């Protein structure tokens, strides 16, 4: 792998820098989907100086890394390459390995900051500002995603959830029917650049700088889905770390207020629909992906929240 890295990172390292060695550490593995790896590089300069650099590598099962590479190039051209609000610098796409290499984003995940500190209003407002930067950046590339496609995915999850949680099958069916009904009623929205997995786990904070990660789901969709997804995940963080969905409600309100103040496409009705879908998605996450010991207590609570938002 050292030979491949030497070749593909040479333009990023610079003319007077060469790769001496590297170590790889698995950061996250989704079997059959992707694997995230930290590459620790030791590089030498022509003047004899040696230094350490880091890259994030993502191995995919298909060519999605090449698409994410192009997405990041476009986003950085449209204002997210300098200043306070950033996306990672794409270093290289290596098709023969389905590998995407990114410059390391220094800082702490917002989720870790929120759990460790109580004075985080500015960070949450910064998250809203980053999201507004994405939604207003003007990028019109990437796949087009429709609510019908979204609904088809949810119906597939519903079948798997019903197998894992049979007594919730009726509620799951009612939720999907309500999603379909409300989606049809609220179809008058314009697609725009949408992260589609925006959460405190995917935002890195370094002083007053914010870098968002994981653009695997980027598409042209309803940007308000990102707002709902972040808010639901913020409340989910309260549930998993402090035992209560409402633990971070004051921060959720700060986030929503900051986003609404800067948005010209805000809709309470659409937001509520996407909040319900985000809780449904979290129900799938705890029962079929993460599956903590408490999942049978958490799942009904998440589904109850989904129902509350689409009554």
């Amino acid at each position: 792998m050292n030979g491949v890295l030497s070749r593909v990172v040479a333009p990023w390292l610079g003319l007077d820098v060469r790769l001496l060695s590297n170590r790889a550490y698995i950061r996250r593995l989704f079997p059959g989907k992707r694997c995230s790896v930290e590459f620790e590089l030791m590089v030498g300069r022509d003047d004899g100086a040696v230094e350490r650099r880091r890259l994030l590598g993502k191995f995919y099962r298909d060519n999605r890394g090449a698409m994410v590479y192009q997405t990041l190039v476009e986003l950085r051209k449209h204002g997210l390459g300098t200043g306070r609000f950033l996306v990672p610098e794409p270093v290289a796409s290596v098709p023969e390995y389905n590998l995407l290499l990114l410059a390391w984003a220094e800082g702490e995940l917002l989720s870790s900051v929120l759990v460790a500190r109580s004075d985080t209003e500015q960070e949450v407002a910064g998250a809203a500002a980053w999201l507004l930067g994405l939604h207003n950046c003007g990028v019109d590339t990437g796949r087009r995603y429709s609510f019908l496609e979204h609904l088809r995915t949810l119906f597939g999850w519903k079948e798997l959830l019903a197998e894992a949680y049979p007594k919730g099958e009726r509620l799951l069916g009612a939720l999907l029917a309500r999603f379909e009904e409300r989606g049809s009623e609220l179809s008058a929205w314009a697609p725009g650049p949408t992260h589609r997995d925006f959460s405190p786990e995917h935002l890195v904070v370094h002083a007053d700088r914010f870098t968002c990660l994981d653009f695997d789901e980027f598409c042209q969709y309803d940007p308000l889905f990102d707002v709902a997804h972040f808010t639901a995940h913020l409340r989910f963080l309260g549930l998993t770390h402090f035992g209560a969905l409402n633990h971070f409600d004051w921060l959720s309100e700060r986030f929503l207020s900051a986003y609404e103040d800067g948005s010209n496409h805000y809709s309470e009705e659409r937001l509520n629909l996407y909040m319900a879908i985000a809780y449904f998605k979290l129900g799938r996450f705890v029962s079929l992906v993460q599956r903590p010991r408490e999942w049978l207590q958490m799942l009904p609570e998440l589904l109850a929240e989904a129902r509350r938002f689409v009554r």
Side-chain angles (χ1 to χ4, degrees):
M1 197 66 194
N2 201 64
V4 174
L5 284 176
S6 294
R7 171 173 55 84
V8 298
V9 305
W12 176 70
L13 290 175
L15 293 175
D16 64 337
V17 183
R18 66 191 182 282
L19 178 62
L20 301 175
S21 64
N22 78 89
R23 290 183 179 180
Y25 307 91
I26 294 177
R27 302 280 296 192
R28 204 166 186 186
L29 174 64
F30 294 94
K33 192 173 182 181
R34 65 181 178 273
C35 178
S36 296
V37 175
E38 176 186 347
F39 288 104
E40 184 181 88
L41 312 180
M42 295 303 297
V43 301
R45 295 185 175 276
D46 289 348
D47 62 7
V50 176
E51 62 185 65
R52 184 180 73 120
R53 297 195 190 180
R54 287 195 291 176
L55 293 174
L56 176 65
K58 298 183 77 172
F59 290 91
Y60 296 85
R61 67 178 178 182
D62 52 25
N63 68 344
R64 179 165 294 197
M67 294 186 286
V68 175
Y69 181 93
Q70 291 302 323
T71 294
L72 294 174
V73 168
E74 286 300 310
L75 290 173
R76 288 176 68 86
K77 285 180 181 176
H78 284 75
L80 292 168
T82 59
R84 291 182 61 208
F85 306 118
L86 304 165
V87 299
E89 178 188 358
V91 173
S93 174
V94 191
E96 59 264 39
Y97 292 99
N98 289 329
L99 170 63
L100 172 66
L101 291 171
L102 307 170
W104 191 265
E106 297 294 342
E108 287 186 85
L109 291 176
L110 178 58
S111 55
S112 299
V113 174
L114 293 169
V115 169
R117 288 171 36 199
S118 58
D119 56 334
T120 53
E121 279 194 75
Q122 290 304 311
E123 285 78 7
V124 167
W130 185 94
L131 192 57
L132 285 164
L134 172 70
H135 292 166
N136 296 322
C137 73
V139 168
D140 59 4
T141 56
R143 69 186 179 116
R144 302 279 164 171
Y145 195 61
S146 69
F147 187 78
L148 183 59
E149 289 176 277
H150 202 167
L151 201 59
R152 279 198 290 263
T153 297
L154 297 175
F155 270 101
W157 290 351
K158 180 257 181 185
E159 298 303 318
L160 296 173
L161 275 167
E163 289 181 17
Y165 186 58
K167 70 178 182 179
E169 185 169 8
R170 180 176 294 181
L171 172 57
L172 292 166
L175 284 172
L176 265 294
R178 188 60 173 152
F179 294 166
E180 187 171 18
E181 179 184 16
R182 291 300 284 153
S184 176
E185 294 168 350
L186 301 170
S187 59
W189 47 266
T194 304
H195 187 282
R196 225 167 65 81
D197 201 13
F198 187 62
S199 74
E201 293 80 21
H202 290 155
L203 199 61
V204 176
V205 181
H206 185 64
D208 67 342
R209 190 173 67 215
F210 296 80
T211 305
C212 192
L213 311 176
D214 288 315
F215 282 80
D216 296 354
E217 303 299 325
F218 177 84
C219 59
Q220 298 292 323
Y221 190 46
D222 187 345
L224 275 183
F225 181 74
D226 283 341
V227 182
H229 193 274
F230 181 92
T231 306
H233 275 255
L234 178 56
R235 299 188 76 228
F236 181 65
L237 192 68
L239 178 63
T240 55
H241 285 269
F242 300 99
L245 266 175
N246 64 0
H247 181 83
F248 286 127
D249 275 5
W250 63 286
L251 287 176
S252 299
E253 292 169 8
R254 179 74 176 94
F255 173 78
L256 291 172
S257 175
Y259 184 89
E260 184 178 6
D261 286 347
S263 172
N264 59 9
H265 57 249
Y266 197 85
S267 161
E268 193 78 28
E269 288 185 311
R270 293 203 329 271
L271 181 68
N272 285 343
L273 170 59
Y274 297 138
M275 288 285 283
I277 290 173
Y279 283 113
F280 187 95
K281 180 181 175 182
L282 281 167
R284 176 250 182 190
F285 176 72
V286 300
S287 58
L288 301 177
V289 181
Q290 188 185 51
R291 210 174 178 88
R293 285 182 301 175
E294 308 85 358
W295 75 273
L296 277 172
Q297 289 76 49
M298 297 169 73
L299 178 58
E301 188 169 357
L302 294 168
L303 294 179
E305 283 297 287
R307 181 173 56 184
R308 180 170 72 89
F309 278 99
V310 287
R311 277 178 179 163

